[in-house]
Amino acid sequence: MKRHVKAPILLTLGLLLAGVISGPPLFAAEATDAASVNAYAIDNMFLFLCAVLVLFMQAGFALVESGLNSAKNTVNILFKNMMDLGLGVILFYIIGYGLMYPGDAFSGGWFGFSGFGIGVESPEAVGGNLHPAVDFLFQVAFAATAATIVSGAVAGRMKFEAYLIYSAVITAFVYPISGFWKWGGGWLNELGFYDFAGSLVVHALGGFAALAAAIVLGPRIGRFNADGSPNAMPGHNLALSTLGVFILLIGWFGFNPGSQLAIAGAANTDIVMIIATNTLLAAAAGSVLAMIFAWILFKKPDLTMAMNGLLGGLVGITANCDSVTYNEALIIGAVAGILVVLGVKLLDMLKIDDPVGAWPVHGLNGVWGGLATGIFGGHPMVAQIIGSIAIPVWGFVTMLVLFLILKMMGILRVSREDEMKGLDISEHEEEAYHGFQIFSTQ
Amino acid sequence: MKRHVKAPILLTLGLLLAGVISGPPLFAAEATDAASVNAYAIDNMFLFLCAVLVLFMQAGFALVESGLNSAKNTVNILFKNMMDLGLGVILFYIIGYGLMYPGDAFSGGWFGFSGFGIGVESPEAVGGNLHPAVDFLFQVAFAATAATIVSGAVAGRMKFEAYLIYSAVITAFVYPISGFWKWGGGWLNELGFYDFAGSLVVHALGGFAALAAAIVLGPRIGRFNADGSPNAMPGHNLALSTLGVFILLIGWFGFNPGSQLAIAGAANTDIVMIIATNTLLAAAAGSVLAMIFAWILFKKPDLTMAMNGLLGGLVGITANCDSVTYNEALIIGAVAGILVVLGVKLLDMLKIDDPVGAWPVHGLNGVWGGLATGIFGGHPMVAQIIGSIAIPVWGFVTMLVLFLILKMMGILRVSREDEMKGLDISEHEEEAYHGFQIFSTQ
Amino acid sequence: MKRHVKAPILLTLGLLLAGVISGPPLFAAEATDAASVNAYAIDNMFLFLCAVLVLFMQAGFALVESGLNSAKNTVNILFKNMMDLGLGVILFYIIGYGLMYPGDAFSGGWFGFSGFGIGVESPEAVGGNLHPAVDFLFQVAFAATAATIVSGAVAGRMKFEAYLIYSAVITAFVYPISGFWKWGGGWLNELGFYDFAGSLVVHALGGFAALAAAIVLGPRIGRFNADGSPNAMPGHNLALSTLGVFILLIGWFGFNPGSQLAIAGAANTDIVMIIATNTLLAAAAGSVLAMIFAWILFKKPDLTMAMNGLLGGLVGITANCDSVTYNEALIIGAVAGILVVLGVKLLDMLKIDDPVGAWPVHGLNGVWGGLATGIFGGHPMVAQIIGSIAIPVWGFVTMLVLFLILKMMGILRVSREDEMKGLDISEHEEEAYHGFQIFSTQ
């Protein structure tokens, strides 16, 4: 062991000797500088690791969504998720990042652009403690998350090409523009709207885009009866879905704590630890309350509801995890768990087919997170209400227009025959489970 | 790049100027302070990331256990694991944490309570370098681990409600009380008993609780013949189980290294690295020796045994990973791998049905870890023996009583018909693999 | 919160008081020393966490490979992967590590050995900032990666014993020797050959070993028709494979950034962040270009190709991720994505059966990564060409000899009957999916 401590000791002795010559002030300055250099390493390592956790969420979404749908659409859903990342990274690199962080000149505005690629003028980097590369890495992981929320809601009936167009548009334009409104320093930020890690900026945007997609697409064949009553279309692999939920939980410890963008400095360290614990408490409360509430309503403990309750709790705490107490985090998660169940019932009543509950989890609870930030977090309520309307409306309307255009062009939905056959065969000529017997009536 | 280095340099220059005015001592003090602030960030970030790794173990347990059981009980097992986390976090927050770390007033005792929620008097926090939130986060992940060990052993026959009661009791009371004996400063700690990361405090407690549950519940229908000979009831998805083992291995790098509770300071840094390497060496030796030993006994290389051997090696090294050499870590893991195979055979002989081998892996090897801490780790053997008896007995007896009460109340085991149908349908009306053909004779 | 800041403040005050007595120079020296101690913690924590991410890649390989093969060989593939880690860790600890890092005395040479176990003379440790234990942890994870690349290529027909022999030989001897040539300071390093994180040292070595294995073994029964035309033998579980790809992506953020072996110091911090972003950009470009190119060739978007394209992009950027711009990373990934598709076609034409595309992904793109390091990274082209020939030839020839010897001994390939039955039953008497109906014609 000693050998390893030797280097610092020698360094110290060397500096000590140097200090005798050059005098103490330079000496001390070097020491202070060394601490700043360490703080720089700490902050960048922290955000790098958080970005990796957020990127892992892509796996979580892919599993949750494919597991909650039928086996015949598995390849299609997995592929969409992989391309949300692949296309998303490239397009956010080229266009989205410059739109979302256009620089101070556009402060308070609706729209700006700082140029293609990873610009040197990213606001977090200037005057901050982060290398632009890790700032990009963290932000692009968020962009891919916003995009991928939709893939579950459109499962089983949207053409692959149409999805790629959607994914490109949301990552390159729609997410970065409303993201700029808040995190880039735009009008919502000026207004005092608060959204710490993106209950609205990320989740409600994706959740309301998913709602627009589900409405324009219409339900899967057989999802609703002629009298309007719904038929359950159970997922084909709840083991994968549960694993996906756990991966999303893990990834959220990058999503929320990382959004502090710094951990060095006692105040940063403290708040990151509080954020992490609030995140876990809300997730726990969401899963338990959704289980209890669904148990009361449906007379049985339902795993899918508990899973979505856990995720809903995470979405609800995302905007305010740095602003509320532990007990408030439990309350926010508990309400989120109940809202998820109510949201699923509401969509059934409205005959909107959202196969994975993307809107109840991300849309409805994104709004809840925004409002809870005012109720519990002490942020001005009016600004919270405005932001909690503006971003969902932006996501819903822009995506409604896009999906309507794709529908008019006839490239939105697969044929009835292809839907019955399953998108894996009809779109990709590729089975997810070759060799397994699968019920033909599925 | 330069732009990012600018900030520290400017800071340094500013401090240098300030130093000219205020004199060098304050100057140097500030620099020392900056290093302490960085060390605080480093230690908290380290424990935060370790806590995330330990939380990921919940996914590992869920996969190992569900994969090693039949498909018809998959939803039930996944759900139990999810609720170990959901309920566990809430109850450990409210009650367990205060029981486990009641403060110095209860030092050397059997029982104490510091209050509800995350108390400000947690021993690690006072005088230490950790924020109470991250201390809680790390400890609650351990509590959930202890609880979830049991879910595999009771698979296929315990009622969901009974499991929720068990899970609440162990997380809120049983685990925190014996945890206090050692880690909270109680009587076992005073005695000189050593258990670095919880071979006994966590794993043997869970493993012997699992044994009590398996005994009270009795075996699954068809597990043993009239003449007492066992029938193998193979798992339905070894791909999931293997993934689960890998996830547990990864999570263990949070479990063991994180238990140092600090990484800043050369002595902490060094020991954390040694702990991590010992952890990997023991896991490797456990998997290889279990494979070889089972190959000799059963004339074929058995994946399930190798998996459990890997996990057994991890359990065995957990108490002593900071106290043994690399070669000793290999020996501890190797013995653990052999013990797993012997433990499985022993349960078969005793006609105890532990579907996943929870007792051989966590119970038997938890005790082995405690004893190995005396044999190889240089800790007083008498104290190790006392601790290696006290905690298993506590876990076994309290849980035996609880499960007997639940049995007398008639809410422990599902009906014969429900067991044959599978718990997914009978308890949750939810299939894990909707659309897949599954043999009816399973 | 205040309580937690108290400790550093008290420490500062104490040091301040001490400074009044002992004078400022010692004072400042202590502060400098504190910064060095922190840097030591930062660097070791960084490499520890990167090692954990690389170890997680074992799970990724296990899933990709088993998912891309038929259900009847799943246990066998999973088991091989687990033993690559189990055996690999033990043998790299005993022999491989000493061969790969034999110390300065062997500088520029072809072969050296510093002794068994974790020697104190590991080059990174001496004079560096890393504890030998974490250096070993990181290096052994790389060794296991090189070994496990082969398991997919030999799926469905190699005997388990033969695989264990192969795995032992590559981890103990073949990988460490060529690894020494570059990373241990051997002749390739002296020559000026550059391979930052192992496009050649790790991936091409494994990829060309896989090619040798596939050639000696011959194709699976039914893989090629009498007229030489190939039959697709689709994987049985693309959900697992896709998850595996995401896990590998995540693991690569340990593989590439960790290869800087340091993050403290502004220059290290900066380059680690750039490495991480280049890694993601290349992966994204690889997945998108492979999708597009396969779409053009096969008239359908093929998930398997996109997956392999993503992995190919990662392999291609591995040698040069610290030496190229963001735009060049996109180009390297894009070319890698196209090469993967061409490589798969080439193997089909040559009637070589590589069930998972191990050679196109790791072999071909390993070489591409080595050459791209010369083309874009500014490293001398001649040295890059020599290294990009030497390591693949070493891997191919040594493994060809080994597999030919195993073939002559009659222990390489299972019988025709066992192959038809599947290796899970014939080698392990263990089904991966007990209870699921699987087509007998598979």
Side-chain angles (χ1 to χ4, degrees):
Chain A
M1 305 301 99
K2 271 176 200 142
R3 191 166 46 82
H4 303 284
V5 187
K6 218 187 286 172
I9 290 173
L10 285 177
L11 179 63
T12 307
L13 288 175
L15 286 170
L16 201 63
L17 285 171
V20 172
I21 299 160
S22 66
L26 176 64
F27 218 18
E30 276 168 4
T32 306
D33 188 43
S36 297
V37 168
N38 280 343
Y40 181 62
I42 293 166
D43 278 343
N44 280 272
M45 172 160 60
F46 171 63
L47 204 68
F48 158 62
L49 293 168
C50 287
V52 172
L53 287 172
V54 179
L55 287 169
F56 197 26
M57 291 174 72
Q58 295 293 319
F61 279 108
L63 295 179
V64 168
E65 295 170 5
S66 57
L68 287 179
N69 279 283
S70 57
K72 67 184 178 182
N73 299 314
T74 300
V75 165
N76 185 257
I77 296 171
L78 297 167
F79 209 164
K80 283 170 177 170
N81 275 275
M82 187 169 281
M83 283 303 120
D84 285 325
L85 187 69
L87 273 182
V89 165
I90 294 172
L91 288 168
F92 194 74
Y93 169 74
I94 296 177
I95 306 170
Y97 190 60
L99 280 174
M100 190 149 167
Y101 298 103
D104 287 346
F106 301 92
S107 181
W110 287 75
F111 186 85
F113 187 58
S114 64
F116 303 102
I118 301 179
V120 287
E121 303 307 325
S122 75
E124 282 88 357
V126 174
N129 209 23
L130 297 174
H131 190 278
V134 78
D135 184 67
F136 170 76
L137 198 71
F138 192 67
Q139 303 298 346
V140 75
F142 273 57
T145 301
T148 212
I149 288 168
V150 172
S151 53
V154 302
R157 55 212 196 280
M158 188 187 276
K159 281 190 181 169
F160 189 66
E161 296 93 316
Y163 188 81
L164 293 184
I165 293 169
Y166 144 79
S167 183
V169 170
I170 197 168
T171 327
F173 301 108
V174 175
Y175 168 77
I177 288 172
S178 56
F180 158 69
W181 296 351
K182 170 60 197 148
W183 291 343
W187 70 274
L188 274 175
N189 191 57
E190 289 292 304
L191 201 72
F193 169 65
Y194 196 79
D195 186 1
F196 180 71
S199 285
L200 284 150
V201 172
V202 179
H203 293 282
L205 185 88
F208 277 86
L211 184 66
I215 290 172
V216 177
L217 267 173
R220 287 166 292 174
I221 298 166
R223 179 70 176 80
F224 294 102
N225 297 320
D227 66 353
S229 61
N231 296 311
M233 297 178 81
H236 82 284
N237 198 330
L238 297 191
L240 288 187
S241 294
T242 305
L243 173 59
V245 169
F246 279 121
I247 289 175
L248 287 171
L249 171 65
I250 293 310
W252 234 287
F253 286 104
F255 206 94
N256 285 2
S259 290
Q260 180 68 11
L261 301 175
I263 193 167
N268 284 324
T269 308
D270 288 346
I271 198 67
V272 168
M273 301 306 132
I274 292 168
I275 290 166
T277 294
N278 278 342
T279 299
L280 182 62
L281 289 170
S287 71
V288 172
L289 265 288
M291 175 186 78
I292 293 173
F293 190 56
W295 205 335
I296 294 169
L297 285 188
F298 312 131
K299 314 292 172 211
K300 55 146 194 164
D302 183 296
L303 175 61
T304 310
M305 286 295 180
M307 291 187 335
N308 274 339
L310 193 154
L311 297 178
L314 288 167
V315 171
I317 200 71
T318 293
N320 46 60
C321 47
D322 69 326
S323 307
V324 300
T325 66
Y326 306 130
N327 290 334
E328 288 166 348
L330 285 174
I331 295 168
I332 290 169
V335 172
I338 291 170
L339 283 177
V340 159
V341 181
L342 292 175
V344 168
K345 297 302 293 176
L346 180 64
L347 290 181
D348 270 0
M349 282 170 52
L350 297 173
K351 285 184 257 183
I352 296 169
D353 182 17
D354 173 2
V356 300
W359 180 77
V361 169
H362 301 277
L364 184 57
N365 271 310
V367 172
W368 163 236
L371 298 178
T373 305
I375 299 169
F376 299 106
H379 297 279
M381 200 65 209
V382 175
Q384 291 311 114
I385 293 172
I386 293 173
S388 301
I389 293 171
I391 293 175
V393 167
W394 166 254
F396 184 79
V397 171
T398 53
M399 290 295 105
L400 196 76
V401 170
L402 175 71
F403 289 121
L404 285 172
I405 291 172
L406 294 172
K407 188 175 186 176
M408 282 188 293
M409 293 168 67
I411 58 171
L412 185 66
R413 187 164 176 156
V414 300
S415 70
R416 186 183 172 85
E417 189 181 50
D418 283 354
E419 184 176 341
M420 295 305 290
K421 209 187 289 173
L423 273 61
D424 291 3
I425 295 295
S426 64
E427 296 268 295
H428 308 285
E429 297 174 25
E430 209 172 9
E431 283 177 276
Y433 302 101
H434 180 82
F436 280 99
Q437 171 89 44
I438 293 172
F439 277 128
S440 58
T441 55
Q442 183 185 30
Chain B
M1 307 297 100
K2 272 175 198 143
R3 191 165 46 82
H4 302 285
V5 187
K6 218 186 286 172
I9 290 173
L10 285 177
L11 180 63
T12 306
L13 288 175
L15 285 169
L16 201 65
L17 285 172
V20 173
I21 300 160
S22 66
L26 176 63
F27 217 18
E30 275 168 5
T32 306
D33 188 43
S36 298
V37 168
N38 280 342
Y40 181 62
I42 292 167
D43 279 344
N44 281 272
M45 172 160 60
F46 171 64
L47 204 68
F48 157 63
L49 293 168
C50 287
V52 172
L53 287 172
V54 179
L55 286 170
F56 197 26
M57 291 173 72
Q58 294 293 317
F61 280 107
L63 295 179
V64 168
E65 295 171 3
S66 58
L68 287 179
N69 280 282
S70 58
K72 67 185 179 183
N73 299 315
T74 300
V75 165
N76 185 258
I77 296 171
L78 296 167
F79 209 164
K80 282 171 177 170
N81 275 276
M82 187 169 280
M83 283 303 120
D84 285 325
L85 187 69
L87 272 181
V89 165
I90 294 172
L91 288 167
F92 194 76
Y93 169 76
I94 296 176
I95 305 169
Y97 190 61
L99 280 173
M100 190 149 169
Y101 298 103
D104 287 345
F106 300 92
S107 181
W110 288 74
F111 184 86
F113 187 58
S114 64
F116 303 103
I118 301 178
V120 287
E121 303 308 323
S122 75
E124 281 88 356
V126 174
N129 209 22
L130 296 175
H131 190 277
V134 78
D135 185 67
F136 169 77
L137 198 71
F138 192 68
Q139 303 298 347
V140 76
F142 273 57
T145 302
T148 212
I149 288 168
V150 172
S151 53
V154 302
R157 54 213 197 279
M158 188 186 275
K159 281 191 182 167
F160 188 66
E161 296 92 316
Y163 188 82
L164 294 183
I165 293 169
Y166 144 78
S167 182
V169 170
I170 198 168
T171 327
F173 301 106
V174 176
Y175 168 78
I177 288 171
S178 56
F180 158 69
W181 296 351
K182 169 60 197 149
W183 291 342
W187 69 275
L188 274 175
N189 191 57
E190 289 290 304
L191 202 71
F193 170 65
Y194 196 79
D195 185 1
F196 180 71
S199 285
L200 284 150
V201 173
V202 179
H203 292 282
L205 185 89
F208 277 86
L211 184 65
I215 291 172
V216 177
L217 268 173
R220 287 166 293 175
I221 298 166
R223 179 70 176 80
F224 295 101
N225 297 319
D227 66 355
S229 60
N231 296 311
M233 297 179 80
H236 82 285
N237 199 329
L238 298 190
L240 287 187
S241 294
T242 304
L243 173 60
V245 169
F246 280 121
I247 289 175
L248 287 170
L249 171 65
I250 293 308
W252 234 286
F253 287 104
F255 206 93
N256 285 3
S259 291
Q260 180 67 11
L261 300 175
I263 192 167
N268 285 323
T269 308
D270 288 346
I271 198 67
V272 168
M273 300 307 131
I274 291 167
I275 290 165
T277 294
N278 278 341
T279 300
L280 183 62
L281 289 170
S287 70
V288 172
L289 265 288
M291 176 186 76
I292 293 173
F293 190 55
W295 206 335
I296 293 167
L297 285 188
F298 312 131
K299 316 291 172 212
K300 54 143 197 168
D302 183 296
L303 175 61
T304 309
M305 286 296 178
M307 289 186 337
N308 274 339
L310 193 155
L311 297 178
L314 288 167
V315 171
I317 199 70
T318 293
N320 46 61
C321 46
D322 69 324
S323 307
V324 299
T325 65
Y326 305 131
N327 289 335
E328 289 166 349
L330 284 174
I331 295 168
I332 291 169
V335 172
I338 291 170
L339 283 176
V340 160
V341 181
L342 293 175
V344 168
K345 298 301 293 175
L346 180 65
L347 291 181
D348 269 1
M349 283 169 52
L350 298 172
K351 284 183 257 181
I352 296 169
D353 182 17
D354 174 1
V356 301
W359 180 77
V361 169
H362 301 277
L364 184 58
N365 271 310
V367 171
W368 162 237
L371 299 179
T373 305
I375 300 168
F376 299 106
H379 297 279
M381 199 65 208
V382 174
Q384 291 311 114
I385 292 171
I386 294 174
S388 301
I389 294 170
I391 293 176
V393 167
W394 165 255
F396 184 80
V397 171
T398 53
M399 290 295 104
L400 195 76
V401 170
L402 175 70
F403 289 120
L404 285 172
I405 293 172
L406 294 172
K407 189 175 185 175
M408 282 188 293
M409 293 169 67
I411 58 172
L412 185 65
R413 186 163 176 155
V414 299
S415 70
R416 186 184 171 82
E417 188 182 49
D418 283 353
E419 185 176 338
M420 296 303 291
K421 207 188 292 173
L423 273 61
D424 291 3
I425 295 295
S426 65
E427 295 268 295
H428 308 284
E429 298 173 24
E430 209 172 8
E431 283 177 274
Y433 302 101
H434 180 82
F436 281 98
Q437 171 89 42
I438 294 172
F439 277 129
S440 59
T441 56
Q442 184 186 32
Chain C
M1 304 301 97
K2 270 176 200 144
R3 191 166 46 83
H4 302 284
V5 187
K6 218 186 284 171
I9 290 171
L10 285 176
L11 180 63
T12 307
L13 289 175
L15 285 169
L16 200 64
L17 285 171
V20 172
I21 300 160
S22 67
L26 176 63
F27 219 16
E30 276 169 3
T32 306
D33 188 43
S36 298
V37 168
N38 280 343
Y40 181 63
I42 292 167
D43 279 343
N44 280 272
M45 172 160 60
F46 171 64
L47 204 67
F48 157 62
L49 292 169
C50 287
V52 172
L53 287 173
V54 179
L55 287 169
F56 197 26
M57 291 173 72
Q58 295 293 317
F61 279 108
L63 295 179
V64 168
E65 294 171 5
S66 56
L68 287 179
N69 279 282
S70 58
K72 67 185 178 183
N73 299 314
T74 301
V75 165
N76 184 258
I77 295 171
L78 297 167
F79 210 164
K80 283 170 177 170
N81 275 276
M82 187 169 280
M83 283 303 120
D84 285 325
L85 188 69
L87 273 182
V89 165
I90 296 172
L91 288 167
F92 194 76
Y93 169 75
I94 297 177
I95 305 170
Y97 190 60
L99 280 174
M100 189 149 169
Y101 298 103
D104 287 345
F106 300 92
S107 181
W110 287 75
F111 185 85
F113 188 57
S114 65
F116 303 102
I118 302 178
V120 287
E121 303 308 323
S122 74
E124 282 87 357
V126 173
N129 210 22
L130 296 175
H131 190 277
V134 78
D135 184 67
F136 170 76
L137 198 71
F138 192 68
Q139 303 299 346
V140 75
F142 272 57
T145 301
T148 213
I149 288 168
V150 173
S151 53
V154 303
R157 55 213 197 278
M158 188 187 274
K159 280 192 182 169
F160 188 65
E161 296 93 317
Y163 188 82
L164 294 184
I165 293 169
Y166 144 78
S167 183
V169 170
I170 197 169
T171 326
F173 301 108
V174 175
Y175 167 78
I177 288 172
S178 56
F180 159 69
W181 296 351
K182 168 60 197 150
W183 291 342
W187 69 274
L188 274 175
N189 191 56
E190 288 292 303
L191 201 73
F193 170 64
Y194 196 79
D195 186 1
F196 180 71
S199 284
L200 285 150
V201 172
V202 179
H203 293 281
L205 186 88
F208 277 86
L211 184 65
I215 290 172
V216 178
L217 267 172
R220 288 166 293 176
I221 298 166
R223 179 70 175 81
F224 295 100
N225 298 319
D227 65 355
S229 60
N231 296 310
M233 298 180 80
H236 81 285
N237 198 329
L238 298 191
L240 288 187
S241 294
T242 304
L243 173 59
V245 169
F246 279 122
I247 290 175
L248 287 171
L249 171 66
I250 294 308
W252 234 286
F253 286 105
F255 206 93
N256 285 2
S259 290
Q260 180 68 11
L261 300 175
I263 192 167
N268 285 323
T269 308
D270 288 345
I271 198 66
V272 168
M273 301 307 131
I274 290 167
I275 290 166
T277 294
N278 277 341
T279 300
L280 183 62
L281 289 170
S287 71
V288 172
L289 265 288
M291 176 186 77
I292 292 173
F293 190 55
W295 206 334
I296 292 169
L297 286 187
F298 313 131
K299 316 290 172 212
K300 56 144 194 165
D302 184 297
L303 175 61
T304 310
M305 286 296 179
M307 291 187 335
N308 274 339
L310 194 154
L311 298 177
L314 289 167
V315 171
I317 199 72
T318 294
N320 46 60
C321 47
D322 69 324
S323 307
V324 299
T325 65
Y326 304 130
N327 289 335
E328 288 166 350
L330 285 174
I331 295 168
I332 291 169
V335 172
I338 291 170
L339 283 177
V340 160
V341 180
L342 292 175
V344 168
K345 298 302 293 175
L346 180 65
L347 291 181
D348 269 2
M349 282 169 53
L350 298 172
K351 284 182 256 180
I352 297 169
D353 182 18
D354 174 1
V356 301
W359 180 77
V361 169
H362 300 278
L364 185 58
N365 272 310
V367 172
W368 162 236
L371 299 179
T373 305
I375 299 169
F376 299 106
H379 297 279
M381 200 65 210
V382 174
Q384 291 311 114
I385 291 172
I386 294 173
S388 301
I389 293 170
I391 294 176
V393 167
W394 166 254
F396 184 80
V397 171
T398 54
M399 290 295 104
L400 195 76
V401 170
L402 175 70
F403 289 120
L404 285 172
I405 292 171
L406 294 172
K407 189 175 185 176
M408 283 186 294
M409 294 168 67
I411 58 171
L412 185 66
R413 187 162 176 156
V414 300
S415 70
R416 185 182 172 83
E417 189 181 49
D418 283 355
E419 185 176 339
M420 296 303 291
K421 209 188 290 173
L423 272 62
D424 291 3
I425 295 296
S426 64
E427 296 268 294
H428 308 285
E429 298 174 24
E430 209 172 8
E431 283 176 275
Y433 301 102
H434 180 82
F436 281 98
Q437 171 89 44
I438 293 172
F439 277 128
S440 58
T441 56
Q442 184 185 32

